[in-house]
Amino acid sequence: MDQTLVVYNSLSGKKEVFTPLLPKHVGMYVCGPTVYSNVHLGNCRTFMSFDLINRYLLHLGYKVRYVRNITDAGHLENDADEGEDRIAKKARLESIEPMEVVQRYTVDFRNTLAQFNTLPPSIEPTATGHIIEQIELIKKILDEGYAYEINGSVYFDVLKFNEDIPYGKLSGRKIEDLIHNTRALDGQSDKKNPQDFALWKRAEPVHIMRWPSPWGEGFPGWHLECTVMSTKYLGESFDIHGGGMDLKFPHHECEIAQAEAINKKSPVNYWLHANMLTLNGKKMAKSTGNNILPEEMFSGNNPIFSKAFSPMVVRFFMLQAHYRSIVDISEEALLASEKGFKRLMEGVETLKTLSSTTDSETSFDVEGWKSKCYAAMNDDFNSPLLIAHLFDAIKHINTIANEGQSIQEAIKIELEESIHAFIFDVLGLKSETAQGASKETIKLESTVTLLLELRAHAKENRDFATADRIRQTLVDLGIQVNDTPEGATFKLN
Ligand code: AMP
Ligand code: ZN
């Protein structure tokens, strides 16, 4: 398909043709979760957005190295370097080790994303696994003169950096505005200027997550890990950096400053930001309590929705919006997605049953349709438009089925291939009736086992008429029965 992928780059504020640094290869870094609590549905939306992007790049034939970190240290309660470490706080409240907190919520995160059928990243590095590299990076920034040490902490000197290299490129914030708008220091902080940010923080005696460093015992600042891990695994400059819109400032702005301070070049060619999921019109967030957990959604056990919604219905709901649009989750919207998802999956099944001939009169411009599907995805991953095109094809399939017509064999094959590729590979949906069927299979197997036990019993009692009747009935139903010296076995066809 001779088309060009265009992506919206938050750095330029424009759609740009995507050209990777190395032909056919893509390096993509996405900020992962801070593992101090269960991921809520809002977090999941961001990771599903980047799953769509990863899947489409893979579909286009790129070899993608997808790095997504786990933040297991350094993220304080307040993004302005204040408050307790989120993980240490949870550990204190529950009287468990910080690493127990990390383990519990990392497992939850991976399980949850697997339920949403997201592909795992190629590398999933942790902040605590890269303390040495973080210390080395701080030393380099100090050597460049863009950081200062004070009372065992090291801060990035934003004003000094801005004298040589402009700060604020991504968020569009001007340094003068930052100086005016950043909250004045409260006397507790060691920072020279309020807009400076921590590279290393001195650990107070009560702080349990601590590591030795040239500046005394402490812990790394939150922004540092992403610079260290992205450049370690993807190089000083790489193709795509992603994350939620709310990470643009200060997190990503600080990442750019850290990398540019030592490498004097832009670390990332394309910055991609996914928009927020809202509930009742407000951002879904852990801190405000305005959130819902995926498990509460799947079980229906929540005070917000009157029924349960399955992982694939929720995924489909998310993909029906463009990743850069805000989406409000509501019962009405989910019910509509549930219907739509069912229609899509039924369409896939109907296509299989269509009779095909070489001389069918029905026509469908499958090449033109495919080209529209690619055009949608090539236009900054426009999944809602792709879904609209998929429904066009389903409508066509249903018409053929309802009118008892046949479809041209070549069209059927091509349509089947493309529909599968778009629905299952690119959108990452999967049929949930397959899961339902396996439950049915389990029930059927138990029933057949019982019938074979009754048959064995009948044989023991020399009631061969009943034994034969059971066998014949099963065989008539397509269930193979094999008598072995150990007893009868069966196979469902
Ligand atoms: P955190 O664990 O808080 O660092 O967040 C993990 C990811 O979830 C980040 O990329 C956030 O931008 C993203 N995120 C947080 N809240 C929402 C939301 N309401 N909608 C979409 N993404 C979110
Ligand atoms: Zn990050």
Side-chain angles (χ1 to χ4, degrees):
M1 197 79 22
D2 186 21
Q3 287 191 16
T4 314
L5 174 63
V6 166
V7 302
Y8 180 87
N9 189 349
S10 309
L11 193 60
S12 62
K14 288 198 216 99
K15 283 186 185 169
E16 296 174 6
V17 170
F18 178 71
T19 313
L21 287 167
L22 226 113
K24 290 272 143 214
H25 289 71
V26 176
M28 174 161 86
Y29 185 89
V30 173
C31 291
T34 306
V35 281
Y36 72 108
S37 65
N38 301 97
V39 272
H40 59 66
L41 215 55
N43 304 130
C44 295
R45 179 179 182 211
T46 286
F47 298 119
M48 276 189 254
S49 295
F50 286 100
D51 184 55
L52 173 78
I53 291 170
N54 180 31
R55 281 172 174 276
Y56 189 56
L57 292 169
L58 289 170
H59 175 76
L60 291 181
Y62 287 109
K63 194 164 183 278
V64 183
R65 182 178 293 168
Y66 175 18
V67 183
R68 188 182 65 209
N69 68 309
I70 295 279
T71 297
D72 58 353
H75 196 173
L76 303 186
E77 283 178 282
N78 179 308
D79 285 352
D81 303 325
E82 288 161 5
E84 242 181 296
D85 180 296
R86 296 181 190 205
I87 288 157
K89 181 177 178 185
K90 182 80 170 187
R92 179 174 60 73
L93 292 174
E94 299 215 358
S95 301
I96 55 176
E97 276 289 320
M99 282 301 132
E100 284 181 275
V101 172
V102 165
Q103 177 71 9
R104 182 192 295 167
Y105 296 114
T106 302
V107 168
D108 168 76
F109 171 66
R110 291 190 185 134
N111 286 343
T112 305
L113 286 198
Q115 280 182 286
F116 282 123
N117 203 29
T118 65
L119 299 175
S122 334
I123 306 177
E124 199 174 39
T126 62
T128 57
H130 296 76
I131 299 289
I132 292 170
E133 289 90 335
Q134 294 186 74
I135 291 172
E136 289 307 308
L137 195 91
I138 298 171
K139 284 191 204 161
K140 284 189 195 157
I141 300 176
L142 278 165
D143 286 347
E144 293 292 334
Y146 295 129
Y148 54 90
E149 188 215 335
I150 197 155
N151 294 331
S153 294
V154 183
Y155 293 97
F156 191 94
D157 191 336
V158 171
L159 289 183
K160 180 83 198 337
F161 172 79
N162 188 60
E163 284 170 13
D164 302 331
I165 305 172
Y167 177 82
K169 292 186 268 294
L170 180 66
S171 59
R173 296 186 195 213
K174 296 211 163 49
I175 200 83
E176 305 79 49
D177 298 341
L178 277 176
I179 294 168
H180 286 119
N181 298 339
T182 312
R183 201 151 45 88
L185 297 172
D186 55 7
Q188 306 269 319
S189 176
D190 293 326
K191 287 181 195 178
K192 281 203 291 202
N193 293 301
Q195 64 276 4
D196 294 347
F197 58 89
L199 296 173
W200 187 262
K201 288 271 281 183
R202 175 190 67 241
E204 300 303 333
V206 289
H207 197 102
I208 31 183
M209 299 178 75
R210 53 203 301 140
W211 290 266
S213 82
W215 317 285
E217 287 208 339
F219 56 93
W222 172 40
H223 315 303
L224 196 63
E225 61 172 284
C226 287
T227 299
V228 161
M229 297 190 278
S230 59
T231 54
K232 170 162 178 165
Y233 297 110
L234 299 172
E236 283 178 7
S237 287
F238 55 94
D239 299 304
I240 298 178
H241 192 315
M245 215 60 111
D246 56 342
L247 297 186
K248 243 191 203 179
F249 187 87
H251 187 54
H252 292 160
E253 200 68 79
C254 297
E255 271 189 54
I256 294 178
Q258 290 166 157
E260 289 186 342
I262 51 163
N263 296 323
K264 310 286 184 288
K265 62 178 176 188
S266 177
V268 175
N269 282 349
Y270 303 92
W271 280 93
L272 268 48
H273 287 100
N275 219 327
M276 298 291 109
L277 182 71
T278 61
L279 177 63
N280 299 317
K282 287 193 221 88
K283 182 189 166 192
M284 203 176 270
K286 176 82 190 155
S287 53
T288 55
N290 185 45
N291 66 64
I292 180 161
L293 300 181
E295 208 37 62
E296 296 172 329
M297 196 94 219
F298 308 153
S299 64
N301 195 2
N302 66 75
I304 304 166
F305 302 110
S306 69
K307 68 182 279 298
F309 291 99
S310 72
M312 284 306 109
V313 167
V314 178
R315 183 174 174 114
F316 185 63
F317 161 78
M318 303 276 192
L319 294 171
Q320 281 181 297
H322 189 263
Y323 80 94
R324 280 192 296 116
S325 311
I326 292 177
V327 178
D328 194 58
I329 194 162
S330 66
E331 175 125 352
E332 204 186 351
L334 283 164
L335 286 171
S337 296
E338 192 170 53
K339 262 198 191 153
F341 177 65
K342 191 162 167 268
R343 194 149 61 88
L344 200 61
M345 290 300 140
E346 281 171 358
V348 173
E349 290 305 311
T350 308
L351 177 58
K352 284 187 206 157
T353 64
L354 292 188
S355 63
S356 57
T357 53
T358 44
D359 57 352
S360 165
E361 302 214 323
T362 57
S363 66
F364 182 65
D365 176 12
V366 72
E367 286 306 326
W369 171 81
K370 255 171 79 172
S371 166
K372 282 201 273 181
C373 292
Y374 278 106
M377 284 306 285
N378 284 337
D379 183 13
D380 194 28
F381 314 101
N382 194 334
S383 57
L385 191 55
L386 169 65
I387 291 171
H389 295 322
L390 287 169
F391 278 125
D392 283 345
I394 299 293
K395 198 168 148 200
H396 178 72
I397 292 164
N398 288 341
T399 308
I400 296 177
N402 294 340
E403 294 180 359
Q405 297 169 346
S406 62
I407 185 170
Q408 275 187 29
E409 206 167 272
I411 293 186
K412 181 177 175 179
I413 293 171
E414 198 165 356
L415 207 48
E416 252 175 349
E417 271 176 18
S418 314
I419 282 193
H420 269 254
F422 285 120
I423 296 183
F424 302 115
D425 302 344
V426 174
L427 295 178
L429 296 166
K430 60 181 185 190
S431 165
E432 288 183 322
T433 50
Q435 290 167 10
S438 73
K439 271 191 215 145
E440 294 309 317
T441 306
I442 293 166
K443 283 188 203 162
L444 181 60
E445 283 174 347
S446 307
T447 311
V448 175
T449 306
L450 175 69
L451 283 169
L452 289 179
E453 275 169 23
L454 292 174
R455 175 171 169 257
H457 204 63
K459 272 188 179 171
E460 270 168 33
N461 293 333
R462 308 191 66 77
D463 181 2
F464 296 113
T466 303
D468 285 348
R469 195 167 153 227
I470 292 174
R471 182 177 211 287
Q472 197 52 50
T473 308
L474 291 175
V475 170
D476 290 347
L477 288 169
I479 298 166
Q480 277 178 36
V481 178
N482 295 317
D483 286 306
T484 72
E486 286 77 37
T489 62
F490 67 93
K491 207 163 142 197
L492 304 176
N493 285 327

